[in-house]
Amino acid sequence: SALCAASLVVACPLLARALAAPARDFDVVRAASGGRGPRVALIGGNPGVARFYEKFARNLAASIDGDVAVVGLRGFLDGRRASLAWWFDAAAWCVGFERGCFSVDEQIEHARVCLADEAAACEREGRELVVVAHSIGGYFSLKALGAGRSTYACLVSPYLENNEGDAKFRGLRGAVCHPLAPVLVVAAAACAGLLGLLPKFVRRAALRAAGQTDGMDSVHENVAVESMCAFSTAFTMAALGRSEMRRLATPYDGPWPET
């Protein structure tokens, strides 16, 4: 079909370039005030593009006279080429296997490792660690921290369980959990990849028309225009979203860190 052909036009050249792609599949954006205040580790939501939180991180670092590390979620490459491992994991997701950046468990492990690194740095420097998490980052962070650990934690609009009382959420869950979801996700990601080939002003206009930048200021709109119009970003956002919805189908029952 024409849709499959369009998908291959986008996907095949990207796959050919994947052999030269870097291994690391996430970003860390840091903001430092130069002071001795606390170190903040921020785990963001989905889409997990670290740059979305850069402006907030700078303002927060200045206000607490400390440092902020924004840890992006795995699989959000912000303009870099996807690795061959990403493509294999994406193919596995399409046939029902969740692994790599599409696995909730592996995202939790990613958060655990990054938070442990930040905690070790705090211990060396004699400073406090504060964990800030947004949306699904709240779930990843709580699971990564585990029970009984004394940590300052701030969850912003945490996504800890499915909101089945919201009709919009139920509609989205129905779409991404449908048996044909892999076909729809590949098609949508291919469209995003094609859009990414167009000039920035065209991408901006398209995202505005689709309502994807509603409520954003110019800084965050620019990040969306630069990062979201890519096959890997769109695919990871939707595929990880399905994994999240499947995992969070039951009420959250812990763990909770000691605060």
Side-chain angles (χ1 to χ4, degrees):
S1 69
L3 183 59
C4 290
S7 300
L8 289 173
V9 166
V10 176
C12 289
L14 293 175
L15 181 58
R17 298 171 64 193
L19 292 172
R24 187 163 123 161
D25 62 354
F26 67 95
D27 288 321
V28 177
V29 171
R30 296 187 180 275
S33 69
R36 296 290 298 172
R39 290 177 67 108
V40 174
L42 192 159
I43 308 293
N46 180 4
V49 178
R51 276 201 302 143
F52 273 122
Y53 301 91
E54 186 173 12
K55 180 181 177 182
F56 171 78
R58 289 198 305 268
N59 292 337
L60 180 59
S63 67
I64 64 174
D65 197 26
D67 302 335
V68 179
V70 181
V71 179
L73 300 184
R74 288 187 56 193
F76 292 94
L77 307 173
D78 200 5
R80 301 191 307 281
R81 295 189 298 273
S83 68
L84 195 58
W86 183 94
W87 286 99
F88 282 134
D89 290 342
W93 180 89
C94 287
V95 294
F97 297 96
E98 296 173 0
R99 66 188 196 191
C101 66
F102 311 112
S103 163
V104 169
D105 287 332
E106 294 201 32
Q107 291 285 0
I108 291 170
E109 176 61 14
H110 163 60
R112 188 195 65 78
V113 170
C114 292
L115 291 177
D117 288 345
E118 291 299 315
C122 285
E123 189 171 336
R124 290 193 302 269
E125 299 170 3
R127 299 163 72 183
E128 295 282 0
L129 174 64
V130 178
V131 177
V132 176
H134 173 232
S135 189
I136 190 62
Y139 183 87
F140 296 155
S141 298
L142 289 176
K143 291 292 186 179
L145 290 169
R149 179 172 171 178
S150 180
T151 305
Y152 294 102
C154 175
L155 307 185
V156 182
S157 301
Y159 172 28
L160 303 180
E161 56 192 51
N162 290 346
N163 182 13
E164 295 295 343
D166 183 82
K168 184 176 180 181
F169 176 87
R170 292 198 305 272
L172 179 61
R173 179 181 53 74
V176 300
C177 294
H178 192 277
L180 292 179
V183 176
L184 300 176
V185 169
V186 169
C191 291
L194 289 171
L195 186 60
L197 300 175
L198 301 177
K200 190 173 179 179
F201 76 91
V202 177
R203 284 178 271 156
R204 186 186 307 277
L207 290 180
R208 284 180 176 177
Q212 296 301 302
T213 58
D214 290 350
M216 292 186 183
D217 60 19
S218 60
V219 173
H220 292 95
E221 185 181 68
N222 281 334
V223 175
V225 169
E226 293 166 2
S227 65
M228 297 304 296
C229 299
F231 184 96
S232 65
T233 300
F235 187 97
T236 301
M237 179 174 65
L240 178 58
R242 186 181 75 172
S243 301
E244 295 165 6
M245 291 177 183
R246 287 179 168 179
R247 174 64 67 88
L248 275 61
T250 58
Y252 183 79
D253 59 358
W256 301 97
E258 294 180 4
T259 56

